[in-house]
Amino acid sequence: MNHCYVGVDIGASRTKVAVLDLKKNLVGYNVRRSGIDFSKTAEECLQASLKMAGRTKADTAGVVSTGYGRKNVLFAQETKSEIACHGKGSYFYFPLAITIIDIGGQDNKIIKLDEAGRRTGFKMNRKCAAGTGGFLEEMAFRLEVPLDEMSSLASRSTNMVKLGSFCTVFSATEVLENIRSGKRLEDIVKGVFFSMIQRVLEMDSLTENVVMTGGVVENNPYIVTMTEELIGRKILVSKHPQLAGAIGAALYAIDLFPLKSEEL
Amino acid sequence: MAKEEVEIRRLKTAQDIVRFMSDYYHELDDATKSGKRKIAWCTSVGPAEILRGMGFLIYFPETHSAMLGSTRMATELIPKANAIGYSPEICSYLTADIGAYLQGVTPLSKAFPGIERIPGCDVLVFNTNQCRDVQDWFAWYSRRFGVPSVGIETHRNIGKVTPMHVSSIAEQMESIVEPLERIAGRKLDMEELKNAVALSRQCSDLWEQCLATAAAVPSPLTFFDGTTLMGPAVVGRGTQKAVDVYKLLLEELNERVTQKVGVINNERYRIYWDGMPVWGRLGMHSKLFAGLNASVIASTYCSSWIFSALDPAAPFESMARAYSELFIVRSDEYKENYIKEKLRFFQCDGIVYHDAKTCPNNSNCRYGLPLRLQAHTNIPSLIINGDLNDLRFLSDEQTKTNIEAFIEQLEESKN
């Protein structure tokens, strides 16, 4: 048998699956839109990840699901909150006392871990889209800019336009006003990122070592640069920040479903 | 990790409390129909004892609003009040209640067959110790019904309750006697007043003892039970009936303590709740915590109807003191120490603060208190965003994720 462990993170926007081998190496993964049928998406994501890992379902020794749709993963043996999984996934790559900033499609989290990886506190955003990936998507739509071009546009800004509102809808109005008044697209987009990160940073204080995770971070590296400028120090980012929750879930699976010696 | 089905043991006395509330509302309804007794509308921590001393029946609109919340009627009704100029961001008890009046509906008619409308009103009596909104709430009805609204303006941010606080409130209480006597059509009977104060004190002491049984492990009582069991302490204080029903409740709770019967089977985590309940989610939240082997055993809210200073020998002064010693009007320093002591007494593992969007006075997490308290006690805390009545301010999924993650955190710290 070629055993492996699987973590499934069903977010409101994207579903992520990570496959770890027995040495905790990431050997397969897949990310796709969650859509409206979470169970089906999870299954498709799993098959793609296992294929990449060169495994089959029969090889899986444990599956843990997390995220908004965690209860919809029919093949998972256990569920864990996304707070726990993002913490575990981040600590695996950065075994320090850390503050994790996770920017997801629907919610943001700030999670604090001590040097042993124990959670000492966490905060989630209020019932509001400001500062989330959903906010970025809405702004990209208003600006008629493909989502994957937002980061590089912002990096070319020379005179950032500040957006003043807490509210996604009012921010969109502000964006339109700035377009009408002839402001450069690059400067407006940088203002959008600035607004996002401000909403996140006001949620909680940060400790010395800061890790950023989430799809927004993976797809928009400029937000990391901007955050570093704002807090005045380097930020730790793993190779696959979008997979932090799924990797954390897979690590939980390793803890929860150890193989018996005869299975090794 | 939450179980789908979980056993939550109900108290038998809960049925007696339901009967108590039914009798209470039917008495008000009979008086409304017959016109034989005067009815005063009073805020939940208003000077009820004075009103009993003049023979008024007393109706507490806050309990009506809580029913609008728990029946989930409130969210549909609040916009009616918004449309006549009452902001969605002010007290959703006020907006739900006024909205219900404008719509001509009441949860009383479904809960208590035979009752078709809210009680009549001869006078409105408030104490702003809850908030300023109660004054505005009653002012609306005062204009609508053409009846007077009288009241007491409280002190706020009280550290130590001083003679100045007590005398100024007592004076205000005495000053409302004459206008109330005119409406009552009779004089205040000092013996009746003293009797009401004595019965209020007994009710308060019994209710306090009931809540204190939750210090037992496992707890025989939860905050979610307490929010409905406290009905008689709110509407019936100053009456023998309230005293009698709490004697029954205390007996049942003590029996549970003796037999080590908890509300849930596997009480692994003991939680303190600060702030208002989310009335429309009582059942959901109760099951959510229970499914995580967590018992929410104590709260600031349910303790708000404990008035240990009441003394029939000095009715006005002791009422003034009792209503000034309330948690809600105290300084943050007092509040911190109060909660700290409760966490110790009830052996709590964690504290959940409900930041209720429309109830700043009952949301004690907005000025840094949770972090200060956590630094002193090392007991983890969680803030959930929601509201007492307006479910538009609530995200069930976020609440669930927050609570599940919080219990996971407590689990990690226990292992």
Side-chain angles (χ1 to χ4, degrees):
Chain A
M1 289 283 266
N2 201 2
H3 288 300
C4 63
Y5 287 91
V6 175
V8 184
D9 177 4
I10 303 197
S13 172
R14 299 287 191 280
T15 291
K16 291 80 67 177
V17 167
V19 180
L20 301 185
D21 66 14
L22 298 186
K23 290 180 179 167
K24 302 183 181 176
N25 296 306
L26 180 67
V27 289
Y29 59 88
N30 190 252
V31 178
R32 58 185 66 196
R33 277 191 180 278
S34 294
I36 53 170
D37 187 342
F38 290 168
S39 302
K40 184 165 170 265
T41 307
E43 182 65 35
E44 289 168 357
C45 226
L46 173 74
Q47 292 302 340
S49 308
L50 288 171
K51 189 176 177 190
M52 181 180 175
R55 264 80 167 178
T56 67
K57 252 186 170 178
D59 296 321
T60 57
V63 182
V64 168
S65 62
T66 187
Y68 178 71
R70 60 191 176 277
K71 299 280 162 66
N72 298 89
V73 183
L74 304 176
F75 52 87
Q77 290 129 297
E78 184 61 271
T79 63
K80 285 277 177 188
S81 77
E82 49 264 51
I83 310 286
C85 291
H86 276 271
K88 194 151 180 97
S90 298
Y91 186 78
F92 178 69
Y93 291 108
F94 307 106
L96 307 159
I98 47 176
T99 297
I100 302 148
I101 299 174
D102 176 66
I103 306 178
Q106 181 181 269
D107 55 44
N108 299 325
K109 312 165 198 63
I110 292 190
I111 308 161
K112 289 181 180 173
L113 305 181
D114 66 15
E115 60 279 1
R118 286 183 300 249
R119 199 183 333 146
T120 56
F122 68 94
K123 290 268 183 71
M124 287 180 76
N125 59 310
R126 288 159 177 256
K127 187 185 170 187
C128 173
T132 69
F135 173 81
L136 191 64
E137 285 186 13
E138 173 67 18
M139 294 304 138
F141 172 75
R142 294 289 183 134
L143 291 164
E144 297 180 349
V145 173
L147 198 53
D148 58 8
E149 288 177 20
M150 293 285 275
S151 187
S152 62
L153 267 173
S155 67
R156 295 200 294 273
S157 166
T158 52
N159 187 19
M160 184 181 79
V161 170
K162 273 199 176 180
L163 302 175
S165 179
F166 272 119
C167 169
T168 302
V169 175
F170 288 172
S171 291
T173 311
E174 271 191 77
V175 163
L176 294 177
E177 279 168 12
N178 280 296
I179 292 168
R180 269 200 295 274
S181 64
K183 296 281 170 30
R184 291 174 67 229
L185 188 59
E186 292 87 338
D187 296 335
I188 297 171
V189 173
K190 183 171 178 179
V192 167
F193 279 107
F194 183 78
S195 171
M196 276 184 75
I197 200 63
Q198 286 287 30
R199 296 289 83 80
V200 177
L201 291 178
E202 69 200 12
M203 284 166 58
D204 205 348
S205 59
L206 305 176
T207 51
E208 180 59 29
N209 302 304
V210 178
V211 178
M212 286 184 83
T213 64
V216 172
V217 173
E218 174 128 9
N219 298 316
N220 302 279
Y222 185 69
I223 202 159
V224 177
T225 308
M226 181 176 264
T227 310
E228 286 174 337
E229 284 169 12
L230 279 169
I231 69 170
R233 54 191 186 273
K234 287 294 285 181
I235 284 175
L236 305 167
V237 182
S238 70
K239 190 176 172 191
H240 300 288
Q242 192 168 17
L243 296 178
I247 290 170
L251 290 166
Y252 271 116
I254 292 174
D255 294 345
L256 291 166
F257 309 107
L259 288 171
K260 294 178 187 131
S261 54
E262 63 269 25
E263 294 175 300
L264 289 168
Chain B
M1 64 188 281
K3 294 171 196 161
E4 293 304 321
E5 289 296 329
V6 63
E7 187 190 356
I8 298 172
R9 290 191 191 89
R10 304 290 173 201
L11 287 151
K12 291 194 290 284
T13 317
Q15 286 307 311
D16 297 290
I17 304 271
V18 170
R19 270 192 294 278
F20 177 99
M21 297 305 285
S22 175
D23 292 348
Y24 162 75
Y25 279 113
H26 276 292
E27 187 180 24
L28 283 166
D29 192 51
D30 292 345
T32 303
K33 286 170 180 161
S34 70
K36 285 182 182 167
R37 295 274 301 270
K38 299 277 186 183
I39 300 173
W41 288 24
C42 186
T43 54
S44 64
V45 195
E49 294 80 5
I50 296 175
L51 296 166
R52 297 209 189 280
M54 294 181 203
F56 282 105
L57 287 178
I58 311 172
Y59 168 63
F60 298 87
E62 282 157 76
T63 59
H64 187 253
S65 276
M67 286 180 76
L68 288 166
S70 59
T71 54
R72 292 185 283 282
M73 294 168 71
T75 304
E76 299 295 316
L77 297 167
I78 288 165
K80 309 279 174 203
N82 301 153
I84 61 162
Y86 286 80
S87 164
E89 303 209 350
I90 64 165
C91 171
S92 60
Y93 267 5
L94 179 163
T95 49
D97 191 59
I98 290 177
Y101 184 84
L102 292 170
Q103 185 78 0
V105 294
T106 171
L108 296 175
S109 54
K110 196 171 176 190
F112 308 113
I115 297 177
E116 285 159 14
R117 61 190 182 94
I118 54 171
C121 178
D122 294 293
V123 64
L124 299 126
V125 184
F126 63 83
N127 188 333
T128 58
N129 49 15
Q130 295 297 82
C131 56
R132 67 153 275 175
D133 296 51
V134 294
Q135 190 174 349
D136 298 281
W137 183 356
F138 279 19
W140 188 83
Y141 280 115
S142 175
R143 288 190 293 271
R144 186 82 178 190
F145 298 153
V147 299
S149 177
V150 296
I152 292 147
E153 305 263 2
T154 196
H155 297 279
R156 291 217 167 271
N157 199 27
I158 300 171
K160 188 174 185 297
V161 177
T162 66
M164 183 278 290
H165 295 119
V166 175
S167 63
S168 80
I169 299 296
E171 276 171 29
Q172 289 189 62
M173 286 180 170
E174 286 172 25
S175 74
I176 64 171
V177 169
E178 198 189 331
L180 288 172
E181 284 177 335
R182 281 201 297 274
I183 296 157
R186 54 166 277 196
K187 287 283 181 192
L188 171 67
D189 182 322
M190 283 306 287
E191 287 312 308
E192 280 184 59
L193 171 62
K194 286 179 181 176
N195 186 44
V197 170
L199 288 169
S200 273
R201 173 65 188 274
Q202 283 182 53
C203 175
S204 158
D205 289 352
L206 284 162
W207 178 236
E208 185 177 23
Q209 288 169 52
C210 288
L211 294 176
T213 62
V217 180
S219 172
L221 178 72
T222 70
F223 160 66
F224 304 108
D225 302 319
T227 57
T228 49
L229 297 173
M230 73 184 202
V234 179
V235 306
R237 62 181 200 278
T239 70
Q240 185 63 46
K241 283 182 185 171
V243 171
D244 294 342
V245 80
Y246 281 134
K247 282 180 181 164
L248 287 177
L249 178 63
L250 184 59
E251 197 179 319
E252 186 181 1
L253 289 166
N254 280 333
E255 198 177 306
R256 277 192 173 186
V257 172
T258 308
Q259 295 175 357
K260 294 195 177 304
V261 174
V263 176
I264 59 172
N265 275 329
N266 183 17
E267 180 190 284
R268 192 164 154 74
Y269 310 101
R270 295 165 64 82
I271 308 295
Y272 186 89
W273 181 285
D274 184 81
M276 298 287 286
V278 183
W279 286 110
R281 292 290 184 264
L282 277 185
M284 180 192 282
H285 288 172
S286 170
K287 285 178 196 157
L288 174 60
F289 280 99
L292 298 165
N293 299 324
S295 235
V296 182
I297 57 169
S299 69
T300 313
Y301 179 67
C302 290
S303 304
S304 299
W305 284 268
I306 294 171
F307 309 107
S308 304
L310 289 177
D311 178 2
F316 284 102
E317 190 189 319
S318 71
M319 279 190 294
R321 178 171 291 279
Y323 294 150
S324 298
E325 282 182 349
L326 277 184
F327 178 92
I328 199 165
V329 295
R330 306 304 289 273
S331 65
D332 260 26
E333 189 185 357
Y334 173 89
K335 289 177 179 175
E336 266 176 65
N337 288 327
Y338 175 95
I339 297 173
K340 194 159 68 176
E341 171 54 22
K342 295 286 180 193
L343 295 173
R344 186 201 63 76
F345 180 77
F346 289 103
Q347 303 173 67
C348 294
D349 301 300
I351 174 166
V352 172
Y353 296 88
H354 173 205
D355 190 348
K357 178 74 174 174
T358 72
C359 191
N361 279 15
N362 272 305
S363 299
N364 298 302
C365 51
R366 296 184 178 181
Y367 297 90
L369 187 146
L371 287 180
R372 291 198 299 274
L373 202 56
Q374 194 166 324
H376 284 304
T377 62
N378 217 20
I379 293 176
S381 64
L382 169 73
I383 298 172
I384 57 166
N385 297 109
D387 192 54
L388 50 162
N389 263 2
D390 195 339
L391 298 177
R392 296 173 298 180
F393 290 123
L394 185 72
S395 162
D396 285 327
E397 188 54 35
Q398 279 214 359
T399 303
K400 198 172 163 193
T401 301
N402 268 299
I403 290 170
E404 285 189 3
F406 185 58
I407 301 298
E408 279 174 347
Q409 183 181 334
L410 298 183
E411 193 174 347
E412 281 171 22
S413 65
K414 278 205 172 188
N415 290 334

